[in-house]
Structures are given as C-alpha cells and as structure tokens.
Amino acid sequence: MAHLCYQASVNRSIHGVRAANLRHASSRTPPKREAPIFRDGISYHWDTAPPTLEQLNRAKHFFNSGIPEIIDSATKFRTVKDTTTPEVAFLGRSNVGKSTLLNALMGRKMCHVSSRPGRTRSMNFFAVGGEDNVGNPGRLVLLDMPGYGEGSREEWGKEIMKYLVGRKQLKRAFLLVNAQHGLKRADEEILNLFRQQGVSHQVILSKADRVLFPKSKVSVSQTEKNLPALDGVCAAVKSKIQPGKYDGPEALGEIICCSGETALGGQKLGIDKLRWAVLAATGLGDVGRKIRPSEIALEGPTPLSSDITTTVSSR
C-alpha cells in the first residue's frame, strides 16, 4: 500500500539531526507579503527575475562541459563521501519523472528510467560541469534521491532526511511535482519538513507537456491555447509552497515547468531554465541577490488571469 515513508521515519530520527539545524537558524525570516506572479515562457516568478538569454546559454554550456560521471551511490548517510563540491538534490513522488528529467538536465542517459515505482533504491551522485581546478571530476554534483510514496521503503526516508538536514555541501533540494496532479498530501508533508528543518528548497513542475499538449501535437499554438491551465496549476501550487505559517523558511518564489521528454523548437521544455536555477542555487551563476520582476525592464505587462502576469524582459 502506498505510504509516505519519509514522514514516518523522520519523526523518530529527528533528534539525531536537530543540531544540524543551527546552520539554518539565521535564514528563518517571516514570510514576505503576497506578490503577483509573473510568467516568462512557462516559468513563474515572484521572488526572482527570469534568466537572461546570456544566462541560459551559460547554463547550457556548463552542463555540456565534460561528460557526467556517477561518483557515489549510498543507502546510508554515514557512508556518503565527504567533498567540497556544491550539491543539489532532486526528489519527488514515485513516477514523477525524476530520472527522465535528470537525464535531460545532464544531456545524456545516466539514470535508469522505469515505469515501476521505487526503481531508484539509493542516493546516486553525479558530477557535472567538467573537472574543477583542484581535480574533482565535476564542478557540481546532482543527487538523485529514491522516490517516496508507492514502492518506497521506510529506511530510505530516514537516511534521506539525515542527508537533507545534515549535509553541509547541499545548496538546495528541488522537489519535483507532477504538473498534471499538482501537490499531493505527501508532497505537502515533505514541504512541511523542509520548512521545519530549514532545508533550502524549490518546487519544479515536471511533465508540463501533459498539461500543454494533452491530446494534441506539440506546437506553439497549442502552448498558447493551454497556458491558462498551467497558470491555474501554478497559482494553486504557489499558495501551498509559501503558506505564511511562520514555521520556517519557505520555498523559493519561482516555479519552473519542464519536461524531460518533449521538445519545442529543438529544446526540451524548461530544461535550460532548470539548469540556470541549479547554477543560481549553488553560487555557480552570477546571482548575488534575489531580484524582483519589477526591477527589470518590461514590455507589458498583459494580464493572464486574476493573479498572473506575463513579462518579457529586455535582453
């Protein structure tokens, strides 16, 4: 029977990792006032500005530099190798499309893709971006986490939460949510844990192509036709990832919608923007602070719905 193994196990092991939260204490600030959502393509921003074309090209070049390499695989947090390389973790419900998305992000098939829930059974570390200046195989490490829900195991949740709370190299956890289904109860419980334990996190909507092209061929016209449906999903998700409960740092005010399978104009949907989000999270981009959409030059805006506005940045 499907169940949330992360939640069940972490409540019993939380005291063992509580001390690690001290490093996050200074980041616990009251939630900001409600801000409008701005859409750039199929990404949504209210705490950040959309990336420029130069930044997108830089991110693409970074991920195409060198061949990705699996450098570690662990089932226990205590056996994970200690490094100085920045890390980001990807996790989500079973069958959320995580492996497919990571393969698209790295530009080659590194993760096994399966329709069977629970296929990923360990924490798998991938070095990307080419060798760094001290001889490490990558300038950045992507971590593929086992999925939660159907096919998961309780012991996975315990070790994964130990990593998320205690790993000093971790810069952000990217939580994948199926765009077709929106946030499920299990996802909301994980978000609660992130806030309570001070884990920096961001929500990514996977399988956005199934909302934009549910029964039609991939085209610009179909994208424009079905964007209101995606707007609705993101508006609903926004209210859940920044609930204003004052119970810890909330998710970054940015939602990237993407697909690891479907391309439009020769580019997989949202992948380069996700690549930039990863670089920005790790300090490998050129973002020194958060920039609100209102701080960039805009043409428009044009209202899309009651609380979503489209923007076109000067590039």
Side-chain angles (χ1 to χ4, degrees), residues 2-313:
H3 58 288
L4 179 59
C5 294
Y6 291 7
Q7 178 73 68
S9 60
V10 76
N11 288 338
R12 292 193 293 274
S13 61
I14 204 65
H15 297 293
V17 295
R18 182 73 70 181
N21 294 333
L22 294 176
R23 67 187 176 92
H24 298 292
S26 61
S27 66
R28 296 197 175 194
T29 56
K32 52 196 165 297
R33 290 181 294 178
E34 188 73 12
I37 308 176
F38 291 81
R39 171 160 49 73
D40 180 70
I42 58 171
S43 65
Y44 297 76
H45 304 258
W46 61 98
D47 280 350
T48 64
T52 64
L53 182 59
E54 178 187 357
Q55 289 168 334
L56 292 175
N57 286 336
R58 188 182 310 159
K60 184 176 182 178
H61 176 75
F62 180 94
F63 276 86
N64 288 333
S65 299
I67 299 174
E69 180 182 342
I70 185 165
I71 58 172
D72 198 8
S73 184
T75 57
K76 301 286 186 181
F77 172 60
R78 59 183 170 79
T79 66
V80 175
K81 297 175 183 176
D82 192 28
T83 72
T84 58
T85 307
E87 300 172 358
V88 295
F90 286 81
L91 66 162
R93 286 178 57 82
S94 301
N95 285 345
V96 76
K98 177 167 50 64
S99 296
T100 300
L101 196 64
L102 282 170
N103 286 338
L105 196 66
M106 291 185 280
R108 62 181 59 220
K109 187 175 180 180
M110 300 294 295
C111 305
H112 182 79
V113 178
S114 173
S115 59
R116 179 166 60 88
R119 180 62 179 80
T120 303
R121 297 173 178 269
S122 59
M123 296 180 281
N124 299 315
F125 297 75
F126 298 92
V128 299
E131 185 176 300
D132 67 9
N133 56 9
V134 294
N136 291 317
R139 289 178 284 166
L140 168 68
V141 172
L142 306 180
L143 175 55
D144 181 15
M145 293 282 200
Y148 53 84
E150 185 179 358
S152 64
R153 296 179 182 177
E154 185 172 330
E155 60 267 26
W156 296 348
K158 182 186 298 183
E159 296 303 320
I160 287 168
M161 286 308 302
K162 286 181 182 178
Y163 169 86
L164 292 173
V165 175
R167 183 71 165 175
K168 64 181 183 295
Q169 294 89 340
L170 178 67
K171 302 304 179 182
R172 184 168 299 164
F174 288 90
L175 179 65
L176 303 188
V177 174
N178 190 323
Q180 282 184 298
H181 305 143
L183 286 169
K184 296 293 187 181
R185 180 179 177 182
D187 301 317
E188 293 185 40
E189 290 176 345
I190 289 295
L191 289 169
N192 287 337
L193 288 173
F194 284 166
R195 290 194 299 272
Q196 292 164 11
Q197 300 306 311
V199 178
S200 174
H201 60 287
Q202 179 174 351
V203 169
I204 304 298
L205 291 187
S206 64
K207 301 186 179 182
D209 53 327
R210 301 189 184 184
V211 175
L212 295 173
F213 318 110
K215 296 180 180 179
S216 57
K217 293 183 178 180
V218 177
S219 67
V220 173
S221 62
Q222 285 298 317
T223 302
E224 295 173 349
K225 178 181 178 182
N226 292 316
L227 271 174
L230 196 60
D231 289 347
V233 173
C234 285
V237 168
K238 177 181 182 289
S239 66
K240 297 291 183 67
I241 66 175
Q242 292 188 345
K245 293 181 177 180
Y246 295 85
D247 58 348
E250 298 178 325
L252 180 69
E254 172 181 297
I255 299 173
I256 297 172
C257 304
C258 49
S259 169
E261 296 180 326
T262 300
L264 184 63
Q267 302 288 333
K268 293 285 179 65
L269 294 175
I271 294 301
D272 282 342
K273 287 187 176 180
L274 179 55
R275 286 169 169 168
W276 175 254
V278 169
L279 293 191
T282 57
L284 294 170
D286 62 358
V287 174
R289 65 180 180 88
K290 292 181 180 179
I291 305 175
R292 295 189 63 80
S294 59
E295 295 180 75
I296 59 177
L298 306 177
E299 299 173 9
T302 304
L304 296 175
S305 66
S306 60
D307 60 352
I308 299 181
T309 303
T310 185
T311 70
V312 181
S313 57

